[in-house]
Amino acid sequence: GAVVSQHPSWVICKSGTSVKIECRSLDFQATTMFWYRQFPKQSLMLMATSNEGSKATYEQGVEKDKFLINHASLTLSTLTVTSAHPEDSSFYICSARGPGSIYEQYFGPGTRLTVT
Amino acid sequence: GIQVEQSPPDLILQEGANSTLRCNFSDSVNNLQWFHQNPWGQLINLFYIPSGTKQNGRLSATTVATERYSLLYISSSQTTDSGVYFCAVGETSGSRLTFGEGTQLTVNP
């Protein structure tokens, strides 16, 4: 149980275009999901907290107009990187609070974004 | 915000050896999780352990919340144990997780 999926696994896009990444909880409902970013050889940094049916809460320094988050259902959150630039190239990972615990998080397999 | 420090940053072992990874944190927590990040980037949940001791096969973990540290023990290490081990903590004031910098473990045959 507590499986989180992401799509796509990897994506290459041209500078200036937008990319959407999906995060799904497959066998449980998730009222809260989280989006992280990880640069090579570095740790994970929380970008935003996504709550079903309400606006996301962004961490300090994360541009909300650039990283659009939508959590329209209890099993799906999406992250759209708008007007992507090469510096947005990174590994994006989502997580969701698992069933039966208000704190424990389960992570998706990640999406590797390369902007050329 | 809360600070999380992991040690050692790098660890190289021979197959069959035992190891201890440490995670220190600077404030009270309602969540502490240990993860193994495999070479493809997937974070594997090892333990949810805000306090106490747990064991799962060759792995075990102990968190002493009053002293603000957690330990991850790996016994009889195997080459498949290689990867990065992260400790992440959640402050009592909120739901966000803060990750340590990780321990890069290499197990040689």
Side-chain angles (χ1 to χ4, degrees):
Chain A
V3 179
V4 178
S5 71
Q6 278 184 245
H7 178 81
S9 301
W10 58 270
V11 57
I12 302 173
C13 71
K14 293 191 174 182
S15 188
T17 62
S18 296
V19 174
K20 179 184 286 189
I21 302 170
E22 294 185 348
C23 176
R24 294 180 184 274
S25 56
L26 297 186
D27 52 0
F28 66 101
Q29 294 183 333
T31 56
T32 303
M33 291 184 171
F34 305 86
W35 287 95
Y36 296 81
R37 181 165 54 181
Q38 184 180 31
F39 291 107
K41 302 293 185 184
Q42 294 187 23
S43 186
L44 282 75
M45 295 295 294
L46 179 66
M47 298 175 65
T49 301
S50 167
N51 294 297
E52 187 266 337
S54 64
K55 290 184 178 180
T57 302
Y58 291 81
E59 294 297 302
Q60 192 170 7
V62 176
E63 301 174 58
K64 60 181 67 176
D65 294 331
K66 181 169 188 60
F67 298 100
L68 301 180
I69 292 173
N70 184 275
H71 193 157
S73 78
L74 287 172
T75 60
L76 174 64
S77 176
T78 60
L79 169 68
T80 301
V81 183
T82 63
S83 187
H85 289 100
E87 56 265 31
D88 298 324
S89 298
S90 187
F91 192 53
Y92 292 88
I93 311 173
C94 72
S95 72
R97 285 206 197 115
S101 170
I102 60 174
Y103 299 120
E104 187 174 9
Q105 293 184 26
Y106 290 82
F107 284 74
T111 297
R112 197 163 302 280
L113 170 64
T114 301
V115 184
T116 61
Chain B
I2 195 167
Q3 305 298 314
V4 184
E5 292 184 359
Q6 289 188 243
S7 60
D10 297 279
L11 186 58
I12 300 175
L13 303 172
Q14 286 300 120
E15 202 167 24
N18 303 329
S19 61
T20 301
L21 282 59
R22 188 177 180 103
C23 173
N24 292 335
F25 45 96
S26 62
D27 208 342
S28 300
V29 299
N30 58 22
N31 182 4
L32 190 145
Q33 293 183 246
W34 282 98
F35 300 94
H36 175 211
Q37 188 169 38
N38 66 22
W40 297 271
Q42 171 79 63
L43 282 170
I44 309 298
N45 284 43
L46 297 178
F47 294 103
Y48 167 68
I49 187 165
S51 64
T53 297
K54 291 185 178 180
Q55 181 161 5
N56 184 1
R58 296 181 296 104
L59 274 60
S60 64
T62 295
T63 297
V64 183
T66 53
E67 297 188 21
R68 298 181 182 165
Y69 73 89
S70 183
L71 302 173
L72 176 69
Y73 305 97
I74 304 174
S75 64
S76 304
S77 57
Q78 302 175 358
T79 55
T80 52
D81 294 333
S82 296
V84 182
Y85 289 80
F86 286 107
C87 164
V89 303
E91 299 174 65
T92 53
S93 58
S95 61
R96 63 197 303 277
L97 275 182
T98 300
F99 279 74
E101 291 301 308
T103 292
Q104 174 73 59
L105 175 65
T106 302
V107 182
N108 293 320

